[in-house]
Amino acid sequence: MSRNPRYDVLFQPVRIGPKTAKNRFFQVPHASGMTNAAPHVRAAFRAMKAEGGWGVVSTGACSIHPTSDDSPFPFASLWDEADVRSHAVMTEAVHAHGALAAVELWHGGAAAVNRTTRHAPLSPSGVPWMATHVGFMSSARPKAMDAADIRDFIRWHAEAAVRAERAGFDILYVYAGMGYLPYQFLLSDYNRRTDAYGGSVRNRVRLVEELIDATREATRGRCAVALRLSMQELRARPSEVAESEGHEVIQFLKDAPDLFDIKMDYSATDCAASRYTPEGSHEPVVEFVKRLTDRPVVGVGRFTSPDTMVAMVKRGVLDFIGGARPSIADPFLPAKIDAGREDEIRECIGCNICISSWHDGVWVRCTQNPTAGEEWRRGWHPEVVTRDAEGEVLVVGGGPAGLEAALTLGRRGYRVALAEAARDFGGRLRFESRLPGLSQWHRVVDYRLGQLRRMENVSLYPESRLTAADVAEFGAGHVVVATGATWQPVLCNPNELPGARLEAPRVYTPDDLAAGAEIEGPVAVFDYDNYYMGSAVAEALAGQGKAVTYITTAGAAAAWGFMTNEQPLVHASFAAKGIACRTLEVVTGFDGETLRLAQIFSGEAREIPARSLVIVGLRQGGSALYEALVGKGGPQRVHLTGDANAPGAIAHAVYQGHKTARELGLARVSVGRDAPFAPRDFLPEAAE
Ligand code: ADP
Ligand code: SF4
């Protein structure tokens, strides 16, 4: 197939100062959890996007100096020659596919409290950045930079730029966003200086201007210099001489960088969960920039539709289509559009499991793309699966795990039969994607079903609940059991250890809601799962007009949702929907009329009236079908996968299904172990 001419504009080359990008697809800097400790893992992850057609491929934040240390969060560095070599592995791999390589040179200022290097954090005026925020909490308060500190900072940036060019980068970022040091100078709340770097907007942009100049001079104009700016706050601040302070900033800087990369200011708005935020949500803060500068502009918005991308260019909002999450979910998004295969794009669902990986301090994981982060370690390619198998596999269960297993087994060349008890495929997503805000999650099913329906060696059997006898009769050499998990109607103790089944009227779990149970209000939702399900169920019940009280053992609603940037928005949504929220409590009893609660630390007992109770706590896997098949013995090889094997997020089920399929029938699986480059390799004279 060939490209739809409607999308030609996306494949035009665009100049960025001294460099030219081959098309408008720009993988903007984003966290990957891949530090200099895993140079080959990182290179393979980024190079996959270059192979998939992205014209520019960037690193994540890359510290320029030990005074910017984000530990325990994972971050890259460009501090010395070992780091140069580490990044060179990536730039070489990216260049091999004709893409430009960009590096996000980064200094965290007050937002990086240097837990490992133990330098005093730097800031314009000694004001901390979110120092009491869960996950960023620190008792260290920053130093107010003096004139010498500012000179040092500019010099460090220039020296890092020299190393970046040596590492092979084409585009060097000055990063004035997301609470980091140059951004702190731009905002009057953080910058209270009375010297030439504080006060008026003219003074507050001075540091950014000097950083751009120093970066360009350091590489003598050979590298392009990009400026990444967070605009949410600046755009909202009135100005006496322009439409907003954001407009003023752009007017002062309009000719300074070779490219503007404009974004939001906070993780929850910048990398917003689809549950509360639609595609293209950045446009209101980005749209004015192109009117004020001739320099190309890149911005993001979880773009997966080529028509939206074309509209962004044609409406004069963006020159480059920025992608972070869409490039993780489908590194081959540009190549698919180029080949007229846009209906095969594995669209990001906006679940933010990827960002949770960074919060967890590990390599990126993705719900839609189980190969993300495994390109080098396991040699997994998101599009290419070696056809190395023959024979027949029966997959039982058509949820995320079963669908992914069937797809990957089919690609390996097996004849695959996929049996699903229900009329529709999708497993837990049949229900979950109908919960408020979760409709885009159904893309996990849509992509896989779309692919499976094109495969001649795959047969789909809906409305086929199989027994062990059915499976034996079918006679496939391998059976993959992906029959899912069930929510348990059990309460827990203050340490969230589950107890016995709660015997009382009108006690439900999400499985009952999925089966269509009518819930009588007022209803209490007790959540000790603490991811999305409890809050989503509460929102769904409130949407039916019921009085809802949400109770959790944690200190906040959807406590794990902090990891996926959902939590603040859950609280806002509860307030908007009138859902009462009670934290740090356990449900100790329910008789169909009264709910008994206890504060988890003091044990203080409380009671509230409720007609129904929905418990969102423990999910249990295991499968009677699997037990029966294994117990039977026989010639069939039986493999348990997905939630039936170990219940988790959808990302876990997809990953397990993929892994089961990749490894099925193989005698040996090799897994690579990466290692950092040691400084001694480069500086023997200094070390001797
Ligand atoms: P996972 O997340 O691991 O894919 P799900 O719960 O989403 O798990 O999906 C499991 C699917 O398996 C459900 O759609 C369910 O209807 C189906 N299923 C369960 N038992 C059987 C069975 N014996 N035969 C066919 N399908 C089954
Ligand atoms: Fe998109 Fe979710 Fe994958 Fe992140 S983890 S890229 S949000 S599908």
Side-chain angles (χ1 to χ4, degrees), residues 195-534:
D195 62 4
Y197 294 93
S200 64
V201 175
R202 178 70 201 87
N203 280 359
R204 281 183 267 139
V205 299
R206 192 177 311 282
L207 178 73
V208 170
E209 218 169 29
E210 291 179 1
L211 286 169
I212 293 171
D213 289 346
T215 305
R216 184 168 286 119
E217 269 168 38
T219 58
R220 298 184 190 278
R222 288 183 299 262
C223 293
V225 181
L227 174 60
R228 193 170 217 199
L229 280 172
S230 283
M231 264 294 147
Q232 197 180 343
E233 293 286 355
L234 287 164
R235 179 77 176 79
R237 282 163 206 234
S239 153
E240 283 174 10
V241 294
E243 209 177 309
S244 73
E245 284 204 355
H247 287 71
E248 251 193 283
V249 166
I250 299 292
Q251 269 156 0
F252 282 123
L253 297 174
K254 67 185 172 53
D255 299 319
D258 297 311
L259 170 101
F260 282 92
D261 178 339
I262 309 293
K263 63 182 332 221
M264 308 293 264
D265 301 36
Y266 307 100
S267 204
T269 48
D270 189 58
C271 180
S274 62
R275 191 171 164 190
Y276 297 107
T277 313
E279 181 179 2
S281 62
H282 290 211
E283 185 174 338
V285 304
V286 176
E287 50 74 35
F288 74 95
V289 177
K290 257 187 73 60
R291 289 201 296 277
L292 301 184
T293 178
D294 296 333
R295 303 299 153 98
V297 176
V298 60
V300 296
R302 208 163 39 75
F303 299 122
T304 55
S305 148
D307 291 309
T308 308
M309 297 173 195
V310 169
M312 284 289 151
V313 176
K314 294 217 160 145
R315 282 171 41 231
V317 179
L318 299 173
D319 297 288
F320 283 103
I321 303 304
R325 288 173 291 174
S327 77
I328 299 170
D330 197 341
F332 278 66
L333 182 149
K336 288 178 183 174
I337 299 172
D338 196 20
R341 293 170 51 219
E342 52 274 5
D343 58 335
E344 293 184 50
I345 294 171
R346 198 168 40 241
E347 291 182 283
C348 167
I349 67 168
C351 61
N352 284 357
I353 284 294
C354 48
I355 194 72
S356 81
S357 323
W358 181 71
H359 289 137
D360 265 337
V362 297
W363 304 339
V364 71
R365 302 169 215 135
C366 172
T367 301
Q368 274 284 53
N369 176 10
T371 69
E374 302 294 344
E375 299 85 355
W376 186 85
R377 179 166 66 167
R378 296 185 185 275
W380 288 356
H381 191 287
E383 300 299 316
V384 182
V385 178
T386 311
R387 270 186 98 79
D388 61 354
E390 52 186 30
E392 184 159 39
V393 185
L394 172 63
V395 179
V396 188
L403 288 166
E404 177 62 28
L407 177 59
T408 306
L409 288 163
R411 288 178 171 167
R412 283 188 59 197
Y414 282 109
R415 274 175 291 118
V416 180
L418 174 59
E420 163 56 48
R423 195 176 58 201
D424 296 317
F425 289 90
R428 58 194 281 194
L429 278 168
R430 286 194 301 271
F431 166 64
E432 294 183 14
S433 62
R434 284 189 279 117
L435 290 169
L438 299 187
S439 62
Q440 288 192 9
W441 290 25
H442 204 266
R443 292 172 171 183
V444 171
V445 182
D446 298 336
Y447 166 73
R448 288 167 178 81
L449 265 185
Q451 294 293 304
L452 287 166
R453 289 197 170 117
R454 292 162 199 246
M455 295 168 76
E456 285 179 1
N457 56 333
V458 175
S459 309
L460 302 175
Y461 298 100
E463 295 185 276
S464 304
R465 179 175 292 283
L466 302 190
T467 62
D470 298 329
V471 172
E473 193 183 322
F474 195 87
H478 289 275
V479 182
V480 173
V481 178
T483 47
T486 47
W487 292 95
Q488 306 296 305
V490 296
L491 299 178
C492 68
N493 75 5
N495 291 332
E496 294 168 354
L497 287 177
R501 187 185 177 91
L502 178 62
E503 299 295 347
R506 295 180 298 282
V507 174
Y508 304 97
T509 71
D511 291 329
D512 299 312
L513 273 64
E518 280 295 320
I519 309 293
E520 201 179 317
V523 51
V525 177
F526 177 43
D527 184 6
Y528 65 96
D529 168 67
N530 289 324
Y531 187 19
Y532 59 91
M533 182 58 88

Side-chain angles (χ1 to χ4, degrees), residues 3 38 71 73 76 84 153 181 183 205-206 241 298 363 419 499 515 596 617 625 682:
R3 182 165 82 211
S71 55
F73 298 107
V84 169
F153 173 41
L181 187 51
Y183 172 89
V205 299
R206 192 177 311 282
V241 294
V298 60
W363 304 339
R596 290 198 305 282
L625 177 65
F682 299 93

Side-chain angles (χ1 to χ4, degrees), residues 105-124:
L105 298 175
W106 164 74
H107 198 296
V113 293
N114 304 331
R115 289 178 175 90
T116 300
T117 63
R118 303 186 70 177
H119 288 287
L122 295 174
S123 71

Side-chain angles (χ1 to χ4, degrees), residues 124-147:
S125 312
V127 178
W129 173 258
M130 292 179 122
T132 58
H133 196 76
V134 187
F136 297 95
M137 214 173 260
S138 168
S139 52
R141 295 292 176 264
K143 174 193 183 198
M145 293 164 80
D146 60 23

